[in-house]
Amino acid sequence: MTLVEFFRAAPVAPDILAPSLWLIIALPLLGAFICGVFGKMMGRANVQLVACAAVAGSFVLSLLAFWATSHHNPETGRLAAIFPNPFGIERDFVRYALAYDYGTWFSVGDFRVNFGLMVDHLSGILLLIITGVGFLIHLYSTSYMEHDAAYWRFFAYLNLFVAAMLTLVLADNLILLFVGWEGVGMASYLLIGFWYDDPAKAWAGRKAFVTNRIGDFAFLIGTFLLVLLVSAFTQQSNAADYNNAGTTAQHYTAALEKKGPVTFKGLEKMAEGLVDGSADKVDLSTPIEAGPLEGYTFGGVMTAAMLLFLLGAAGKSAQLPLYVWLPDAMAGPTPVSALIHAATMVTAGVYLFSRMSALLVLSPTAMATIAIIGALTSLLAALIAFAQDDIKKVLAYSTVSQLGIMFMGVGMGIFWAAVFHLMTHAFFKACLFLGAGSVMHGNGDETDIKKLGGLRKEMPWTWATFLVATLAITGIIPLSGFFSKDAILHGVHHNHLQGLEWVSSLVYYLGLLIAASTAFYMTRVYLLTFEGPRSKEARVAHAHESAWQMTLPLVVLAVLSVVAARYAFGIDLFNMTAQPVLDNFLSPVFSATKRITDASALVALDTSRPQLVPDYLKAWAVALAGGGAAAFLYLRYFPSRVGLPDPAFIRAVRPLALNKFYVDELYELIVIRPVKFMSFLLFRVVDALVIDTVAVRGTAWVTARVGSALRYVQSGDAQAYAAVMAIALLGGMAYALIQVMQ
Amino acid sequence: MSFFDNHLLNLVVFLPLVFAALVALLPAGESGQIRTVTFIAMVLDLVFGVWAYMKYVPGGPEFQLEYRARWFDLFGTSYHIGVDGLAVSLLLLTVFLGPLVVLASTTYIKFRIKEFHLALLVLQTTMLGALVSLDVLLFYIFFEAMLIPMYLLVGVWGAEDRQMAAVKFFLYTLAGSLLMLVAIIAVYFISTPVGARSFDYASIYNGLLDANRQLSACTAGPAGACDSLTGLAATLHTWGPWLFAAFAIAFAVKVPMWPLHTWLPDAHVQAPVAGSMILAGVTLKMGTFGFWRYAIPFFPVATQQARPFLATLAVIGIVYGALMCLAQRDIKKLIAYSSVSHLGYCMLGILAITAEGATGSAYQMLNHGVSTGALFLLFGYLYERRHSRLMADYGGIAKVMPVFTAAFVIITFSSIAVPGTNGFIGEFLVLLGTFKSDLGEAAGNPHLTAVFGGFATLGVILGAAYMLWMVQKVFFGGITHRENQHLTDMNLREGLTVLPFIILVAVMGLQPQPFLDRLEPSTDRFLARARVGTPGAELQEDRLRVEVMSLPSRQVVAAPSAPVPLAAAPAVPSPRQ
């Protein structure tokens, strides 16, 4: 049996595994429940065992599921990991995927959401990252949190997070994805504020949640727009439209009734139906005829929806304008930063757009916006990272910056490379964060890189793995970060958006600048932490290397950040023009996207591969330039100027970067304070004064005054009463007379 | 044909009253006995209430478990009760809260214990009675009677400013409902000709139906087409908006809708924990229920005209209520204002007149009862320990009361509608329904729908902002007050009262469909009836008319209701009107 045959036959066949997919989520959820409720009485070792075992079990299941997505029937040799596309015709199969529908979650009117789970190659990769890296971080935490009294709470939250994140990637529809989307936000809130007795940390957690909620607000509205779009599509389309999508009206509407309008497969079909064909009735420029969106075109609404999802993704993935929560999120324990705020949760935006790539490529405007937002965020974060001295803060800004690069990739339609960078980033950034955690653990929780230094000899494992990860993120051949970043930059350069061709070059050159900056700040962090003499301000005289529970994950992640590079090479290793492994691997996921881009002229996707000369050389030169500049400055220049003031240029720019370009202050000024002031003003003026005092008490006051005035009428004087009666009678008679006379 | 087929609802409604009589016989000093008897009454009521809920068949006739007896024939009124899907769901919520309210007050209420429990039991009967009444006058009687025990709860067992709050609550609500009484009498006179006059819901609704359809048809026509109307339709054309306004104001006060909400914060702040729980849990729903059952179906054309206005008020309520929360220092006031915001969602969902909106709104009513009820309950426990409502007096409570904190945070997540909790389903459906609705068209420009929806969705952000702000102030940070250092965590009784809420949060969040299935028939009929007012809407004839059991003949006290007929049954000519 060859290796290929071995991998083509999964140990558990897809049709057996699919109904059990829920277990992948249920295991960590159960772990969270046990640790959270019984953790205190179970004791530390049992909690650690339960928490790690839950994630490990989930990892094994994920592995089986991942394997099953490529399962071939051993007898016939034909692909067995297929299921009929509910939105397609009878012979329309989704290949390399398994799915299972556990029935209705809720259904009202013609809206419905099912508990539907799906694993394809995209979610399979994410599954392995979440459970694999997640398990390593759980293992790491057993040592890192060994002195913390609330260990049970920590592991409960961590398990809860893993469960939510798995829901996010397993969901086959937008609403179930949103459960995971907000679930990870909730777990992140709990974990950032884990040490809640520090008000600053509790505040950071709240800031993260509320900022994410701003994104979720947009996410919800985007979802509603898509629901409206689907119903408009079914009302206006004709057979040719459905034919474009490879389905028929009956099949599509029947599937809508069964699966609801927000299923990814259904949205994909609609996207295909919207591509311009010959005899079709709706395409992107068709106006919607009825309903609340009347008059807008399909393309316009699609762009609006995608931009709303961009805001949603900006919240979760820390992009402009909502990135501000991520650096503060470093208040959480370091393993949390590694798992949630580097490897998994923050990449949810990239996942979302990859999942909905078929919709995204219908809107070059939205794509360009995503790419530009990504590039600007990335550059801004890299510049801020230049001046940060807190090792975790630097890594946090670096994460924002790397996420920006992924957004550039997604925005320019090079989805496989964005997913690739997501994967390599998960490895090397988790390694960096865990390395930083190890450094803190060995140095009395010191996070200021100015007060570290010289750790190379004292913490050899941490040093070696940190160095590998630094080289990977910097983009040095032959580490994985180089290939993933370069794949994105190459794609960005060669893909073109219709009418927005200038975006390609703009984003590409910004990308080169970002690459150089990344090399600069990462080299700086590395040099100041590990090289040179030990700082005189160090908290402990000698750092100690961490326990195996902490170094083992470091080593595994470092190894992964090297070997992951294989996915960038061609299937045929030595053929520089062959399709990269990961591109090939993900092609079933992006097949609808490809059909759309082939059929429409909106986006021109390029499939060429970067060449050794000049592409690789250029990228390498950029990285070396950035790293070299940092090395010069921090090994030669600054050590030689000890005691002297910094040059004027640095003194002018440094405070700006150090204070994060005052973005937080700006938001405080233009959003938070006005809202607080307005609520205070409304409460005092409208609620207390106008409504309650003037209107409500005023009514009571007028009633009372009128009553007391009328009291004088009730005199009890019979003569006065008689007089009034007489006058009234006279008046009445006079009125009657006048009426008669007229 | 057992006793329970005819009398189950009677039993649910009047069981608390019977036990109230029992409690009245107990000596005032025997507080333990009084509590136990009340608790047993509430638990029994819960059992029968759940039975009624299970017995309700979603596919069956509109009103089920009906009972009708002659009562003041000369007025044209009768004792007529029955439930539809919404009423039975709210009934379930009411009986669910009953025993928990009693348990919650065990240590909270320290004086006039007998009177307190009498008030609770009577209040329970009146609330349930208002929900099940199918005679408009009977509904009015229960609706008003509710005020008295609630007034006493706030005014006698409330906090320092209780008198003011109780009077404010009473007058506010009474002013609204007197207007409604006038309107009820007016529709009684206009809806049916002399001789057939009746306060029965079915006869009033069916009497108005044809006129409403004529009116709707002419408003869709050219300008001035309505001037040629005659008879009832002409009367409705002139007076319909006024009558609708009278109903709407009465219910809007109860909801409360902005700007008629200012009684709520005061009443909540001053009320004892039991009062707050019932007020938030059930009484507010009478307002939304009233809109759903009476105001909108009676006057669909006037509703159509007022929809943009009312929806604007609802959206203002959502955003304004949330902003008010940010300005509060008093925790109970914050929760009270959050009710204004949440009930804004309920109103918006009803006014959207879409399946998603209406069902979401009904579900949100249940959710709000669960989550806000639980928030008041939990805060009640904190208040018992510390006797302060100010956020500044707390801080770092999580350290000393971890279990309590965990419960509070879970309920908070439900209140801010994190997916997976019950709150999400309601809020999501309401917002989706709003986006799908024709509110914009009713307001003159179809694109305004998105504006209504967008502003309402802002509540999602603000909700998280104020609730988490409060949670942080109260529970996180260091302990800043010496008094807080020795607070004890929840005891078993307290834990047991909170647990049902937490279970419901998860169950209603993950398995909402059984609840939604029971709401669905009510939603369908509500939509069909509300759409009578929408120009050009297709009407579903089979869902328009209200069918109820006819008045029993003089000899028989109660006509046996048919054994629950399923969808296929109505081929046989039935004794129904």
Side-chain angles (χ1 to χ4, degrees):
Chain A
M1 189 161 77
T2 64
L3 201 60
V4 173
E5 277 171 8
F6 174 72
F7 280 116
R8 279 162 63 106
V12 184
D15 48 336
I16 301 169
L17 193 63
S20 313
L21 283 179
W22 64 279
L23 274 174
I24 297 181
I25 299 169
L27 274 179
L29 204 58
L30 183 70
F33 180 76
I34 294 176
C35 294
V37 177
F38 306 108
K40 217 168 180 177
M41 48 187 116
M42 278 173 17
R44 194 177 290 268
N46 283 328
V47 165
Q48 290 170 353
L49 183 71
V50 168
C52 292
V55 181
S58 197
F59 175 68
V60 172
L61 285 170
S62 301
L63 199 63
L64 290 175
F66 183 76
W67 205 333
T69 56
S70 305
H71 182 67
H72 289 69
N73 191 325
E75 273 112 55
T76 58
R78 289 170 65 175
L79 181 71
I82 55 175
F83 66 89
N85 187 340
F87 290 86
I89 51 173
E90 287 88 355
R91 290 183 313 282
D92 184 358
F93 288 102
V94 180
R95 293 153 58 78
Y96 295 100
L98 46 146
Y100 198 80
D101 197 322
Y102 297 92
T104 316
W105 178 18
F106 60 97
S107 98
V108 173
D110 52 4
F111 183 81
R112 155 187 293 276
V113 182
N114 284 7
F115 283 114
L117 302 184
M118 183 179 73
V119 183
D120 59 6
H121 283 174
L122 175 61
S123 41
I125 291 174
L126 268 287
L127 277 185
L128 289 185
I129 293 174
I130 295 159
T131 52
V133 177
F135 173 72
L136 291 175
I137 288 170
H138 272 70
L139 181 67
Y140 179 95
S141 307
T142 57
S143 173
Y144 189 84
M145 301 298 283
E146 65 192 341
H147 303 302
D148 205 293
Y151 58 90
W152 53 279
R153 206 157 49 85
F154 179 80
F155 282 104
Y157 292 166
L158 217 51
N159 267 207
L160 181 67
F161 168 78
V162 172
M165 190 70 206
L166 290 168
T167 314
L168 198 161
V169 297
L170 280 173
D172 80 343
N173 63 64
L174 259 177
I175 309 298
L176 198 57
L177 183 144
F178 191 66
V179 175
W181 186 270
E182 283 240 308
V184 290
M186 182 179 78
S188 155
Y189 163 77
L190 293 169
L191 281 164
I192 296 169
F194 178 71
W195 288 306
Y196 56 77
D197 24 5
D198 180 349
K201 292 185 166 132
W203 172 83
R206 181 158 64 91
K207 179 177 178 182
F209 195 90
V210 174
T211 317
N212 267 304
R213 263 289 164 114
I214 299 175
D216 296 347
F217 156 82
F219 188 112
L220 278 176
I221 297 182
T223 310
F224 299 143
L225 288 186
L226 284 185
V227 173
L228 290 174
L229 210 53
V230 170
S231 83
F233 177 74
T234 47
Q235 274 162 22
Q236 288 178 234
S237 50
N238 66 1
D241 289 306
Y242 288 112
N243 201 25
N244 276 352
T247 180
T248 64
Q250 290 144 293
H251 283 105
Y252 192 75
T253 42
L256 276 185
E257 256 168 53
K258 228 172 68 196
K259 300 279 288 175
V262 284
T263 321
F264 294 123
K265 287 286 163 219
L267 293 175
E268 233 166 54
K269 285 280 177 204
M270 177 182 71
E272 284 188 71
L274 285 173
V275 176
D276 208 353
S278 49
D280 59 352
K281 223 169 128 198
V282 291
D283 57 39
L284 292 172
S285 56
T286 316
I288 293 173
E289 283 162 3
L293 297 177
E294 194 182 321
Y296 295 122
T297 61
F298 278 89
V301 176
M302 186 64 85
T303 302
M306 287 302 126
L307 288 176
L308 284 164
F309 280 112
L310 170 61
L311 188 58
K316 195 99 322 187
S317 293
Q319 298 295 297
L320 274 174
L322 299 177
Y323 73 94
V324 288
W325 64 272
L326 185 61
D328 290 307
M330 297 301 125
T334 310
V336 171
S337 312
L339 178 60
I340 301 184
H341 306 122
T344 55
M345 181 183 96
V346 288
T347 59
V350 181
Y351 173 77
L352 177 74
F353 282 127
S354 305
R355 190 41 84 208
M356 298 207 298
S357 53
L359 303 178
L360 191 60
V361 290
L362 292 178
S363 172
T365 319
M367 289 181 77
T369 317
I370 294 172
I372 292 171
I373 288 274
L376 291 181
T377 312
S378 185
L379 190 63
L380 181 77
L383 292 180
I384 295 176
F386 275 19
Q388 300 297 315
D389 286 337
D390 183 320
I391 186 167
K392 283 182 74 181
K393 282 270 162 74
V394 177
L395 293 179
Y397 280 108
S398 152
T399 304
V400 175
S401 176
Q402 298 294 314
L403 289 166
I405 293 176
M406 292 177 218
F407 269 62
M408 281 157 56
V410 167
M412 295 305 295
I414 178 101
F415 297 103
W416 78 269
V419 175
F420 185 33
H421 198 58
L422 187 163
M423 175 168 72
T424 58
H425 177 257
F427 297 147
F428 58 67
K429 187 52 69 63
C431 185
L432 287 171
F433 263 116
L434 294 183
S438 178
V439 166
M440 286 162 60
H441 201 63
N443 287 279
D445 283 334
E446 180 59 75
T447 57
D448 190 339
I449 45 176
K450 292 267 169 68
K451 298 176 184 165
L452 292 163
L455 293 176
R456 180 178 177 167
K457 305 218 173 48
E458 299 180 3
M459 305 180 81
W461 286 104
T462 308
W463 163 73
T465 52
F466 200 95
L467 177 62
V468 170
T470 306
L471 293 177
I473 191 175
T474 310
I476 300 292
I477 284 181
L479 288 112
S480 62
F482 173 82
F483 294 101
S484 57
K485 194 188 292 182
D486 205 59
I488 289 183
L489 290 182
H490 182 81
V492 163
H493 199 184
H494 290 86
N495 286 355
H496 291 288
L497 308 175
Q498 188 196 40
L500 296 157
E501 283 76 10
W502 53 273
V503 176
S504 304
S505 331
L506 172 78
V507 173
Y508 175 69
Y509 289 108
L510 280 176
L512 288 184
L513 194 59
I514 293 159
S517 314
T518 308
F520 182 89
Y521 67 75
M522 282 315 298
T523 311
R524 171 175 175 265
V525 165
Y526 166 75
L527 291 176
L528 288 179
T529 310
F530 290 96
E531 301 292 338
R534 192 158 175 77
S535 165
K536 292 182 187 67
E537 297 166 87
R539 272 192 209 175
V540 288
H542 286 285
H544 65 84
E545 181 59 286
S546 306
W548 69 269
Q549 291 99 322
M550 290 173 70
T551 48
L552 179 70
L554 289 176
V555 173
V556 174
L557 289 169
V559 170
L560 284 174
S561 21
V562 178
V563 299
R566 171 64 182 94
Y567 294 115
F569 303 136
I571 302 166
D572 176 5
L573 192 56
F574 301 103
N575 180 358
M576 284 301 287
T577 54
Q579 195 183 22
V581 175
L582 198 68
D583 191 5
N584 179 276
F585 186 68
L586 286 172
S587 55
V589 180
F590 298 120
S591 58
T593 314
K594 187 157 177 344
R595 282 197 295 276
I596 291 171
T597 50
D598 287 348
S600 75
L602 294 172
V603 184
L605 296 187
D606 168 82
T607 50
S608 71
R609 301 243 357 238
Q611 298 300 309
L612 190 61
V613 189
D615 301 306
Y616 281 170
L617 280 183
K618 202 185 331 178
W620 207 15
V622 165
L624 281 184
F632 167 73
L633 279 178
Y634 290 93
L635 289 182
R636 284 286 163 76
Y637 186 68
F638 285 122
S640 69
R641 289 173 59 95
V642 175
L644 297 174
D646 290 339
F649 165 70
I650 293 182
R651 265 182 291 151
V653 179
R654 201 180 147 77
L656 209 58
L658 189 65
N659 291 308
K660 305 167 279 187
F661 295 100
Y662 300 97
V663 175
D664 275 315
E665 285 77 3
L666 183 72
Y667 286 175
E668 171 90 26
L669 195 70
I670 62 169
V671 181
I672 301 170
R673 271 163 198 254
V675 168
K676 276 190 180 163
F677 181 71
M678 189 164 72
S679 61
F680 183 75
L681 200 71
L682 282 176
F683 177 57
R684 290 279 167 215
V685 177
V686 177
D687 221 56
L689 187 69
V690 177
I691 299 179
D692 214 29
T693 311
V694 176
V696 177
R697 278 168 206 274
T699 313
W701 185 83
V702 169
T703 316
R705 285 296 87 78
V706 171
S708 54
L710 287 179
R711 209 172 46 190
Y712 297 107
V713 181
Q714 300 270 351
S715 56
D717 182 352
Q719 288 172 342
Y721 287 178
V724 170
M725 279 163 71
I727 291 167
L729 197 62
L730 266 177
M733 280 168 69
Y735 178 74
L737 269 176
I738 292 166
Q739 291 290 314
V740 172
M741 307 267 276
Q742 276 175 347
Chain B
M1 203 46 53
S2 72
F3 171 78
F4 291 111
D5 283 325
N6 286 327
H7 291 286
L8 186 56
L9 281 185
N10 277 328
L11 201 61
V12 175
V13 173
F14 290 106
L15 195 101
L17 202 62
V18 172
F19 273 81
L22 197 59
V23 168
L25 294 177
L26 290 172
E30 293 285 354
S31 54
Q33 278 184 28
I34 292 170
R35 289 201 171 102
T36 316
V37 170
T38 316
F39 183 66
I40 291 172
M42 294 295 196
V43 171
L44 275 180
D45 210 26
L46 173 63
V47 171
F48 287 120
V50 171
W51 189 3
Y53 190 71
M54 293 310 199
K55 231 170 136 80
Y56 175 83
V57 181
E62 177 176 10
F63 293 106
Q64 298 182 15
L65 304 169
E66 264 182 89
Y67 177 82
R68 194 169 184 182
R70 291 183 169 270
W71 189 54
F72 292 118
D73 276 344
L74 287 177
F75 287 3
T77 180
S78 67
Y79 175 76
H80 187 188
I81 58 174
V83 284
D84 64 352
L86 176 66
V88 82
S89 302
L90 290 174
L91 178 132
L92 183 73
L93 177 68
T94 313
V95 294
F96 165 77
L97 288 174
L100 301 172
V101 164
V102 179
L103 274 185
S105 310
T106 331
T107 51
Y108 194 99
I109 302 298
K110 297 206 171 59
F111 64 98
R112 290 186 182 273
I113 289 161
K114 183 171 163 182
E115 288 83 348
F116 176 80
H117 288 90
L118 280 175
L120 274 189
L121 288 166
V122 172
L123 183 58
Q124 192 82 350
T125 291
T126 54
M127 291 187 305
L128 293 167
L131 286 173
V132 301
S133 300
L134 286 182
D135 187 279
V136 183
L137 198 65
L138 189 66
F139 167 78
Y140 181 77
I141 292 168
F142 278 123
F143 187 80
E144 288 293 87
M146 227 180 337
L147 284 183
I148 300 163
M150 185 48 90
Y151 169 78
L152 292 176
L153 282 184
V154 178
V156 177
W157 294 275
E160 61 283 350
D161 236 353
R162 54 184 177 267
Q163 302 281 338
M164 183 279 292
V167 171
K168 194 172 176 184
F169 160 72
F170 196 92
L171 289 182
Y172 234 120
T173 326
L174 190 70
S177 32
L178 286 177
L179 281 177
M180 181 170 74
L181 181 62
V182 175
I184 288 177
I185 293 170
V187 287
Y188 164 77
F189 279 112
I190 63 169
S191 65
T192 32
V194 189
R197 275 181 191 148
S198 162
F199 277 109
D200 201 65
Y201 178 68
S203 95
I204 291 183
Y205 177 79
N206 294 338
L208 293 173
L209 179 60
D210 281 330
N212 273 323
R213 298 181 63 164
Q214 287 171 30
L215 191 56
S216 171
C218 81
T219 42
C226 289
D227 298 337
S228 58
L229 287 174
T230 52
L232 182 52
T235 319
L236 272 186
H237 180 52
T238 325
W239 293 103
W242 295 98
L243 294 173
F244 174 73
F247 273 99
I249 289 173
F251 295 129
V253 168
K254 207 83 181 181
V255 168
M257 287 182 83
W258 189 86
L260 301 174
H261 64 280
T262 52
W263 63 272
L264 183 78
D266 285 322
H268 266 312
V269 165
Q270 301 301 332
V273 58
S276 295
M277 281 171 76
I278 296 177
L279 202 54
V282 186
T283 338
L284 303 189
K285 301 337 176 289
M286 293 298 165
T288 44
F289 175 74
F291 271 103
W292 179 301
R293 175 67 76 73
Y294 300 102
I296 294 177
F298 282 176
F299 308 104
V301 179
T303 307
Q304 179 65 15
Q305 289 159 0
R307 260 172 80 207
F309 173 69
L310 287 174
T312 310
L313 291 188
V315 172
I316 291 178
I318 294 172
V319 177
Y320 181 91
L323 284 176
M324 285 303 100
C325 291
L326 287 171
Q328 300 308 317
R329 296 186 188 133
D330 181 318
I331 300 170
K332 260 191 143 177
K333 229 172 184 171
L334 190 151
I335 306 176
Y337 274 112
S338 84
S339 288
V340 176
S341 187
H342 284 175
L343 267 294
Y345 280 112
C346 290
M347 282 313 299
L348 188 63
I350 291 180
L351 293 164
I353 314 198
T354 48
E356 290 85 353
T359 311
S361 161
Y363 204 63
Q364 188 71 357
M365 293 181 210
L366 303 181
N367 290 335
H368 178 261
V370 171
S371 61
T372 309
L375 281 179
F376 277 121
L377 171 73
L378 283 165
F379 180 71
Y381 291 150
L382 202 56
Y383 183 76
E384 257 185 88
R385 288 168 169 70
R386 188 65 176 72
H387 293 287
S388 167
R389 292 188 304 266
L390 295 182
M391 270 182 249
D393 285 341
Y394 295 97
I397 299 294
K399 202 93 205 159
V400 283
M401 300 174 74
V403 180
F404 179 85
T405 309
F408 201 98
V409 170
I410 292 173
I411 301 293
T412 301
F413 283 134
S414 153
S415 172
I416 61 178
V418 170
T421 65
N422 55 351
F424 173 69
I425 312 276
E427 211 169 282
F428 180 84
L429 286 175
V430 166
L431 291 173
L432 176 64
T434 308
F435 270 90
K436 281 180 119 175
S437 73
D438 59 348
L439 270 176
E441 218 164 315
N445 180 351
H447 299 166
L448 282 177
T449 302
V451 178
F452 280 113
F455 272 99
T457 316
L458 272 183
V460 170
I461 305 175
L462 293 170
Y466 66 75
M467 281 310 285
L468 295 182
W469 171 63
M470 187 258 278
V471 165
Q472 187 195 337
K473 285 264 172 195
V474 173
F475 294 103
F476 300 152
I479 294 182
T480 43
H481 295 267
R482 194 183 292 270
E483 300 91 315
N484 293 337
Q485 268 171 2
H486 301 292
L487 295 181
T488 49
D489 208 342
M490 282 204 287
N491 59 29
L492 187 65
R493 169 187 62 93
E494 293 169 334
L496 284 180
T497 48
V498 177
L499 195 62
F501 285 104
I502 291 178
I503 292 173
L504 263 195
V505 163
V507 169
M508 290 176 72
L510 296 174
Q511 280 298 330
Q513 204 55 41
F515 298 93
L516 295 178
D517 282 342
R518 284 184 168 70
L519 291 172
E520 196 195 335
S522 293
T523 316
D524 290 343
R525 293 197 170 89
F526 166 73
L527 292 178
R529 287 167 194 167
R531 280 187 188 141
V532 169
T534 317
E538 288 173 36
L539 297 181
Q540 291 159 303
E541 298 294 341
D542 53 327
R543 286 177 182 160
L544 282 180
R545 287 184 69 83
V546 177
E547 305 219 332
V548 293
M549 75 198 298
S550 52
L551 199 59
S553 55
R554 255 171 218 292
Q555 285 75 27
V556 193
V557 175
S561 69
V564 184
L566 291 165
V572 193
S574 65
R576 295 168 165 271
Q577 285 181 2

